[in-house]
């Protein structure tokens, strides 16, 4: 129903007109479209609630992804840019997390490659060192000089002598020898026996030492010059029986060979049922491995990887030496800078292990040594300080310590001259007393001077005395009662007297307050004397009601005011019917 209709209906009800048709119309509307309105309201709430929509999408999203992958993989293509961007952001912000995730896959391969390179380098270096200081080594040096080659090349040429005697191609799963080649004149054993031996050794290692998957036998050594190199493939294994000291480059050759076997004969390997005839064609490939014994490329040159490693080692050593030298110079400069700092005495400075140790004396007010170490380019974590505390008598530190101990207000300046500290400016009595008591306790100070220091409390006392003397309490003619109009003046007088008493106590200066009453010239002298004294006593009684102690406060009735005359008018006479306050202090400050 529209708003106008409702308004009309409301007006109709108020006016007392029969509203039955409208009520029937509303009831009919509920029966006809009520459920649809309720459903539309629920649907609207679902669409407007982000949490409800997210919950419903999460229920159908897995099925949607599964259907998309089975149909055209559209969701994968749509998510690919977002995933790529997320990976790039993850690598930029937290590369360590990605490195830890892929390390289990790449780590073993990287370690294996590094081990192979380092083993080759050690093998070459070992031969070089063994022959450098022998008679054979001298001959090789002469040969190197005569041929114009390096001594390392000559050593490698003469020491890398080996012979590949046999090569086995073995089915990995069954351990059956698929092909076997050997050099002529070799007393070969039963190939199946050797294959069984390798399989048994591998099984023994796995069972005894709980080897992980992928950890396989790579080398078996027998005696001083006999070894078996094993290269593992997914379906087949190559085992080469080698006599002598083969170069590590030969292992790469066998890796390529096992890859070639899998590439050419993968179908035969997968469908192997015990028949080795299909693998007879691999004989030529294996025989090529036997000819590696005369390959000059393995015997007459230094491996580029070895040269690169040597250069890297030399460069790393040079950088390390330069870094150590630079840090040594930086440390020496840093120590000299510490020695020049007020409040720091360096007794010993040296490097132990990876740390720099500095011992000495240090004033707590001296400069922090850690920022200076950073400024010098030193690693703060490697610095070890062993300080003993002491008080330095450097003028800069003496004044800093005086400010710290004496805590002067902003209105006071401290000046250090020789062993005397002077204070100038303005300060309260309490701080002046504090200064006089503690100044000579500061290390390096033997005397103090306060001649240029103003006592603000003493000035305040003189100012308050003057303000109190300006207060005058007036009385009506012949009256001794305090008028209500004087109450505010009496409260001010009480506050002034209270301040003066506090200052008198803190300054240790005796204070005397006199309350004097005066009258006009009317009446007899005796009457006026009594009236003036009574008025003074009334004022004192009023002050005591404000917690003012009567000590050192006296009253006096002066009688007729010196300025009053009998012929004065009423207005003029009112000036002399007063009570005044007079405060006096002794000169100087009692210590």
């Amino acid at each position: 129903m529209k708003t106008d209709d409702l308004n009309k209906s409301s007006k109709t009800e108020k006016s007392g007109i029969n509203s039955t048709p409208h009520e029937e119309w509303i009831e009919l509307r509920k029966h006809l479209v009520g459920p649809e309105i309720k459903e539309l309201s629920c649907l609207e709430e679902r669409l407007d609630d982000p949490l409800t929509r997210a919950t419903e999408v999460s229920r159908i999203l897995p099925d949607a992804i599964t259907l998309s992958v089975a149909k055209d993989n559209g969701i994968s293509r749509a998510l690919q840019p977002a995933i790529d961007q997320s990976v790039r952001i993850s690598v930029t912000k937290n590369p360590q997390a990605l490195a830890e995730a892929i390390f289990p896959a790449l780590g073993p391969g990287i370690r294996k490659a590094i081990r192979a390179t380092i083993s080759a380098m050690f093998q070459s270096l070992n031969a070089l060192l063994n022959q450098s200081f022998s008679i054979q080594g001298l001959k090789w040096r002469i040969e190197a000089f005569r041929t114009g080659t390096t001594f390392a090349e000559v050593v490698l040429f003469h020491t890398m002598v080996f012979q590949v005697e046999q090569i086995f191609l073995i089915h990995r799963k069954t351990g059956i020898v698929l092909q076997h080649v050997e050099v002529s004149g070799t007393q070969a054993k039963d190939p199946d026996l050797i294959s069984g031996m390798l399989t048994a050794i591998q099984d023994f290692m796995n069972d005894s030492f709980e080897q992980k998957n992928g950890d396989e036998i790579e080398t078996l050594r027998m005696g001083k010059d006999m070894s078996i190199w094993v290269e593992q493939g997914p379906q087949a294994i190559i085992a080469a029986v080698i006599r002598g000291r083969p170069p590590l480059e030969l292992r790469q050759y066998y890796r390529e060979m096992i890859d070639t076997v899998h590439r050419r004969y993968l179908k035969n390997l997968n469908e192997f049922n015990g028949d080795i005839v299909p693998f007879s064609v691999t004989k030529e490939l294996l025989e090529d491995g036997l000819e590696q014994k005369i390959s000059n490329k393995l015997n007459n040159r230094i491996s580029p990887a070895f040269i690169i490693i040597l250069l890297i080692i030399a460069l790393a050593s040079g950088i390390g030496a330069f870094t150590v030298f630079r840090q040594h110079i930086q440390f020496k400069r840093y120590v000299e800078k510490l020695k020049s700092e007020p409040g720091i005495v360096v007794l010993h400075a040296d490097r132990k292990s990876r740390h720099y140790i500095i011992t000495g004396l240090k004033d707590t007010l001296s400069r922090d040594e850690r920022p200076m170490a950073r400024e010098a380019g030193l690693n703060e974590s490697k610095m070890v300080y062993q300080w003993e505390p002491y008080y330095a008598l450097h003028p800069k530190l003496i004044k800093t310590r005086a400010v710290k101990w004496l805590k002067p207000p902003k209105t006071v300046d401290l000046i250090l001259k020789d062993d005397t500290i002077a204070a100038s400016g303005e300060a309260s009595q309490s701080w002046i007393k504090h200064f006089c008591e503690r100044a000579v306790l500061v290390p390096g100070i033997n005397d103090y001077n306060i001649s240029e220091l103003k006592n603000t409390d003493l000035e305040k006392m003189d100012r308050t005395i003057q303000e109190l003397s300006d207060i005058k309490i007036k009385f009506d003619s012949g009256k001794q009662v305090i008028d209500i109009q004087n109450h505010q003046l009496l409260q001010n007088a009480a506050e002034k007297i209270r301040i003066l008493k506090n200052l008198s106590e803190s300054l240790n200066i005796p204070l005397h307050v006199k309350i004097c009453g005066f009258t006009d010239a009317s009446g007899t002298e005796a009457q006026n004397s009594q009236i003036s004294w009574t008025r003074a006593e009334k004022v004192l009684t009023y002050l005591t009601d404000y917690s003012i102690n009567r000590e050192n406060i006296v009253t006096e009735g002066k009688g007729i005011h010196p300025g009053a005359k009998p012929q004065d008018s009423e207005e003029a006479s009112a000036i002399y019917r007063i009570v005044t306050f007079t405060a006096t202090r002794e000169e100087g400050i009692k210590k």
Side-chain angles (χ1 to χ4, degrees):
M1 182 181 292
K2 296 183 179 180
T3 306
D4 293 338
D5 296 336
L6 292 175
N7 292 335
K8 290 178 181 179
S9 174
S10 177
K11 291 179 180 179
T12 303
E13 290 175 1
K14 290 181 179 180
S15 60
I17 299 175
N18 187 7
S19 58
T20 303
H22 296 281
E23 294 176 354
E24 293 176 352
W25 167 250
I26 294 173
E27 187 67 23
L28 179 61
R29 180 172 174 267
K30 290 182 179 179
H31 287 289
L32 292 177
V33 295
E36 288 77 7
I37 293 176
K38 185 175 182 181
E39 291 180 0
L40 288 174
S41 176
C42 294
L43 181 59
E44 184 179 1
E45 291 180 359
R46 288 176 56 194
L47 294 177
D48 291 341
D49 187 3
L51 181 60
T52 303
R53 283 187 291 160
T55 303
E56 293 174 349
V57 171
S58 66
R59 294 171 183 168
I60 64 173
L61 185 59
D63 294 335
I65 294 175
T66 302
L67 292 175
S68 175
V69 171
K71 184 178 179 182
D72 56 358
N73 208 21
I75 289 183
S76 299
R77 291 193 299 272
L79 293 179
Q80 185 66 37
I83 294 175
D84 293 343
Q85 182 67 17
S86 299
V87 171
R88 283 194 292 270
I89 293 174
S90 178
V91 171
T92 302
K93 292 185 177 180
N94 190 9
Q96 183 63 29
L98 186 61
E100 292 177 355
I102 66 175
F103 177 77
L106 297 183
I110 295 173
R111 290 196 299 271
K112 186 174 182 180
I114 293 174
R115 284 200 305 268
T117 304
I118 294 176
S119 298
M121 180 189 70
F122 284 165
Q123 184 177 10
S124 300
L125 290 177
N126 185 52
L128 183 64
L129 293 174
N130 287 337
Q131 300 296 336
S132 294
F133 304 101
S134 63
I135 297 176
Q136 187 65 47
L138 294 176
K139 293 180 180 179
W140 289 345
R141 288 186 182 277
I142 295 173
E143 180 181 348
F145 177 77
R146 179 173 52 82
T147 58
T149 58
T150 64
F151 176 64
E153 288 179 317
V154 174
V155 171
L156 288 176
F157 180 80
H158 288 285
T159 57
M160 301 297 279
V161 179
F162 67 95
Q163 171 69 60
V164 181
E165 295 185 350
Q166 301 181 67
I167 298 178
F168 298 85
L169 178 61
I170 304 171
H171 189 262
R172 180 165 184 167
K173 186 174 181 181
T174 62
I176 297 175
V177 178
L178 304 177
Q179 186 58 266
H180 168 241
V181 295
E182 61 186 14
V183 248
S184 59
T186 301
Q187 296 180 356
K189 299 294 183 180
D190 183 3
D192 292 329
L193 181 62
I194 296 177
S195 173
M197 175 196 69
L198 292 175
T199 303
I201 292 175
Q202 181 65 62
D203 293 341
F204 171 76
M205 296 293 290
N206 291 337
D207 295 339
S208 299
F209 301 103
E210 298 182 356
Q211 296 294 306
K212 298 179 180 179
N213 293 334
D215 295 338
E216 306 288 351
I217 293 177
E218 294 182 353
T219 304
L220 291 176
R221 298 192 61 85
M222 295 170 288
K224 293 182 179 180
D225 60 348
M226 180 67 74
S227 60
I228 299 178
W229 282 11
V230 180
E231 284 300 324
Q232 308 277 350
Q235 302 292 339
I237 300 172
I238 284 182
V241 180
I242 307 172
R243 188 178 299 276
R245 294 184 292 273
L248 264 296
E249 288 87 343
L250 184 61
R251 185 174 289 280
Q252 180 61 32
Y253 178 82
Y254 289 137
R255 290 171 185 162
E256 295 175 357
M257 179 184 291
I258 193 65
D259 291 341
T260 302
V261 170
H262 281 79
R263 187 171 58 255
R264 295 180 182 178
Y265 312 107
L266 181 60
K267 181 178 179 181
N268 295 335
L269 291 171
N270 289 332
E271 298 176 354
F272 180 70
N273 57 2
D275 184 11
I276 65 174
V277 174
F279 298 96
S280 59
V281 293
T282 61
K283 184 173 183 180
E284 183 178 353
L285 177 63
L286 298 183
E287 287 177 345
D288 290 340
L290 296 176
E291 295 179 359
Q292 290 298 317
K293 61 184 175 56
I294 60 172
S295 177
N296 288 331
K297 68 178 181 180
L298 299 178
N299 297 325
N300 61 0
R301 67 183 180 89
I302 299 178
S303 170
F306 174 65
I307 296 176
I308 293 174
I309 291 175
L310 286 181
L311 291 177
I312 292 175
I313 293 175
L315 179 62
S317 300
I319 293 175
F322 174 75
T323 302
V324 172
F325 176 75
R326 185 185 65 177
Q327 290 180 348
H328 177 72
I329 297 299
Q330 291 173 337
F331 179 66
K332 289 295 183 182
R333 292 175 180 173
Y334 172 60
V335 172
E336 293 301 322
K337 188 173 183 180
L338 281 180
K339 291 180 179 179
S340 65
E341 282 293 323
I344 296 179
V345 179
V346 178
L347 300 179
H348 183 71
D350 196 7
R351 179 174 182 173
K352 292 184 180 180
S353 183
R354 296 182 179 180
H355 293 84
Y356 295 98
I357 301 188
I358 299 177
T359 59
L361 306 176
K362 186 175 185 299
D363 194 306
T364 56
L365 298 179
S366 62
R367 185 181 174 187
D368 190 354
E369 65 278 5
R370 291 170 294 182
M372 290 192 289
R374 291 194 295 269
E375 294 171 2
L378 297 174
N379 188 345
E380 186 180 341
S381 62
K382 294 184 178 181
M383 306 301 298
V384 178
Y385 302 98
Q386 298 175 349
W387 299 119
E388 289 293 333
Y390 88 114
Y391 289 131
L393 299 182
H394 190 279
K396 178 181 177 181
L397 297 182
I398 292 177
K399 184 175 180 180
T400 303
R401 185 172 290 106
V403 171
K404 183 178 180 181
W405 287 24
L406 301 176
K407 295 182 175 59
K410 295 181 179 180
T411 56
V412 174
D413 292 328
L414 298 180
I415 301 173
L416 181 67
K417 185 176 181 181
D418 297 332
D419 61 349
T420 301
I421 188 166
S424 61
E426 298 179 347
S428 65
Q429 171 62 21
S430 61
W431 186 84
I432 295 175
K433 181 179 179 182
H434 170 79
F435 174 78
C436 296
E437 292 175 350
R438 292 183 61 86
V440 293
L441 300 179
V442 179
I445 295 178
N446 295 323
D447 199 2
Y448 63 89
N449 186 344
I450 58 172
S451 60
E452 300 296 326
L453 188 62
K454 293 182 180 180
N455 191 323
T456 56
D457 287 346
L458 194 59
E459 293 180 348
K460 182 178 180 181
M461 189 176 190
D462 292 338
R463 186 171 61 253
T464 306
I465 288 174
Q466 181 60 42
E467 292 172 353
L468 179 64
S469 66
D470 293 337
I471 298 175
K472 294 178 174 57
I473 309 299
K474 295 180 179 181
F475 287 83
D476 293 335
S477 178
K479 301 292 183 179
Q480 304 172 15
V481 179
I482 298 175
D483 193 284
I484 191 171
Q485 296 177 353
N486 290 317
H487 287 182
Q488 184 61 46
L489 290 175
L490 287 170
Q491 291 177 9
N492 292 341
E495 182 63 25
K496 303 297 181 184
I497 294 173
R498 185 180 294 106
I499 292 174
L500 288 173
K501 282 183 170 291
N502 291 336
L503 291 174
S504 172
E505 184 177 351
S506 62
L507 292 170
N508 196 19
I509 296 178
L511 177 74
H512 302 282
V513 178
K514 182 184 291 185
I515 302 176
C516 298
F518 294 92
T519 66
D520 56 19
S522 62
T524 64
E525 183 176 350
Q527 290 174 338
N528 289 332
S529 177
Q530 179 63 33
I531 291 173
S532 63
W533 178 83
T534 304
R535 288 173 177 174
E537 280 292 324
K538 289 287 185 180
V539 169
L540 178 58
T541 302
Y542 190 93
L543 293 177
T544 55
D545 292 339
Y546 281 92
S547 302
I548 299 299
N549 192 342
R550 288 175 174 265
E551 185 180 0
N552 295 331
I553 300 178
V554 297
T555 59
E556 185 177 354
K558 293 287 190 178
I560 301 173
H561 194 280
K565 297 180 178 56
Q567 64 271 23
D568 288 339
S569 63
E570 175 61 27
E571 183 178 356
S573 298
I575 299 175
Y576 304 114
R577 295 192 296 268
I578 59 175
V579 171
T580 62
F581 302 90
T582 303
T584 57
R585 66 173 178 84
E586 295 183 6
E587 295 297 328
I589 299 177
K590 293 184 179 181
K591 298 184 180 179

